[in-house]
Amino acid sequence: MRAKRFFTLKNCRRFFAVFALLFLCFSNLSAQSNQNFPRGSARGTTEMNQNVRGSGVPNIAVQITEPQTGREVAFSVRLLLLLTVLTLAPSILILVTCFLRFSIVLDFIKRALSLQQVPPTSVLNGIAFFMTIFVMWPTFTKVYDNAYKPLSNNEITIEEAYREAEAPLRMFMYGQMSQDTSYIKMFMNMAKLEKPNTLADVPTYILVPSYILHELTVAFKIGVILYIPFIIIDMVVASILMAMGMMMLPPVQISMPFKLILFVLVDGWGLLTQQLFNSVIH
């Protein structure tokens, strides 16, 4: 009954009258706002300038054909091998240079100082990387002068460039293992090859894993030597805390400042860098 009373003719007339009044008010306001547009301002338009042209997208076509001659097959295989070598180049450079030794020793010194996040691992790897470039610069120069530069000038072939680039790296790796050739002998026996008389008799696939194991051994030996003075500090601090009855206090929190003070006073970073350099350059 209330709904019927609300929708009467009189109420409908009132509703339409209020709606018309509001419509007139809004139309007057919009007209006044258009007339009172600020001076010096640009009016917008919805029309596009006819001089504007759309950007063109080039067509890309990929065509796969079967090789017709043996040269085309050889070129495809060489291209595949080149892409594979470029993909593995960072790992190869890490394993056949002194980067492996430097990175492991720097990580050992970080653990010996009981440091968790300082310096970050990326910083230590960066130090090892630039130290590797500094130490390996003469070898890289020989590779550039004897292999890359003649190849770019079309003076030698790819096979000759590979041999010229391989020779300085082989000499460097063999120079590090000249005093200990046990790993070379081990891999030669595993491959059932004859005992080599000179470096030229050692294949590269034997020399590389031998060098990697040798670098791991040397890096761990240096790490053990670095650990000894810091372990003594930990033992002294732990004994003092036990004698004082402070059994619940972690000894690492007390010994770490003393280890840092000792490392800074003896110029640890300088001594470590110099000794690493001397361990590579005989």
Side-chain angles (χ1 to χ4, degrees):
M1 293 297 293
R2 292 181 180 179
K4 290 181 179 180
R5 291 179 183 177
F6 180 77
F7 290 105
T8 59
L9 181 61
K10 187 176 181 180
N11 291 335
C12 290
R13 289 178 180 177
R14 290 177 180 177
F15 175 75
F16 285 114
V18 172
F19 180 76
L21 182 61
L22 291 175
F23 179 75
L24 290 175
C25 290
F26 281 114
S27 62
N28 291 331
L29 289 174
S30 62
Q32 291 178 3
S33 63
N34 292 329
Q35 292 176 1
N36 299 328
F37 202 80
R39 294 181 180 180
S41 57
R43 294 180 178 272
T45 115
T46 57
E47 296 180 359
M48 183 176 238
N49 191 355
Q50 297 180 357
N51 296 326
V52 177
R53 296 181 179 179
S55 59
V57 179
N59 295 326
I60 300 175
V62 179
Q63 185 177 4
I64 301 175
T65 59
E66 294 183 1
Q68 302 297 328
T69 61
R71 289 185 177 180
E72 294 182 358
V73 176
F75 176 77
S76 301
V77 174
R78 288 182 180 180
L79 182 60
L80 179 61
L81 292 176
L82 179 61
L83 294 176
T84 305
V85 171
L86 291 177
T87 304
L88 300 176
S91 300
I92 295 173
L93 290 177
I94 287 173
L95 295 177
V96 300
T97 60
C98 53
F99 178 85
L100 186 62
R101 182 187 303 188
F102 291 165
S103 61
I104 292 175
V105 172
L106 291 176
D107 189 71
F108 264 110
I109 196 64
K110 177 181 177 180
R111 296 177 184 274
L113 290 171
S114 303
L115 299 175
Q116 300 296 328
Q117 298 179 355
V118 180
T121 305
S122 57
V123 174
L124 296 179
N125 290 333
I127 295 172
F129 175 73
F130 284 103
M131 286 179 60
T132 303
I133 293 178
F134 176 74
V135 173
M136 299 292 297
W137 190 257
T139 304
F140 292 155
T141 303
K142 292 180 181 178
V143 172
Y144 176 80
D145 293 337
N146 300 333
Y148 179 78
K149 192 174 180 179
L151 179 63
S152 61
N153 296 331
N154 295 325
E155 297 176 0
I156 58 176
T157 61
I158 296 179
E159 291 79 6
E160 294 175 350
Y162 170 76
R163 297 190 191 96
E164 294 294 335
E166 183 186 26
L169 292 175
R170 285 173 55 88
M171 290 297 297
F172 172 79
M173 289 186 289
Y174 185 75
Q176 300 301 312
M177 297 184 294
S178 59
Q179 299 179 358
D180 183 14
T181 59
S182 59
Y183 291 111
I184 295 179
K185 295 178 181 179
M186 181 185 70
F187 279 101
M188 292 291 288
N189 293 330
M190 293 171 62
K192 297 181 180 180
L193 299 176
E194 297 181 359
K195 183 179 179 180
N197 297 323
T198 60
L199 174 61
D201 298 332
V202 181
T204 304
Y205 67 89
I206 296 292
L207 187 61
V208 172
S210 304
Y211 174 76
I212 294 172
L213 294 183
H214 176 267
E215 288 296 291
L216 288 174
T217 304
V218 173
F220 274 74
K221 288 180 180 179
I222 298 175
V224 170
I225 296 174
L226 292 174
Y227 250 104
I228 292 175
F230 299 111
I231 289 177
I232 293 174
I233 295 176
D234 289 334
M235 293 174 62
V236 171
V237 172
S239 300
I240 294 173
L241 292 177
M242 289 287 291
M244 297 176 64
M246 298 180 181
M247 301 176 61
M248 302 301 295
L249 185 63
V252 177
Q253 294 183 358
I254 307 300
S255 63
M256 184 175 66
F258 292 100
K259 291 190 287 187
L260 291 176
I261 292 172
L262 175 64
F263 189 74
V264 172
L265 289 178
V266 300
D267 190 17
W269 292 114
L271 289 175
L272 182 63
T273 303
Q274 185 176 4
Q275 293 302 319
L276 286 174
F277 178 78
N278 293 334
S279 68
V280 177
I281 305 299
H282 298 287

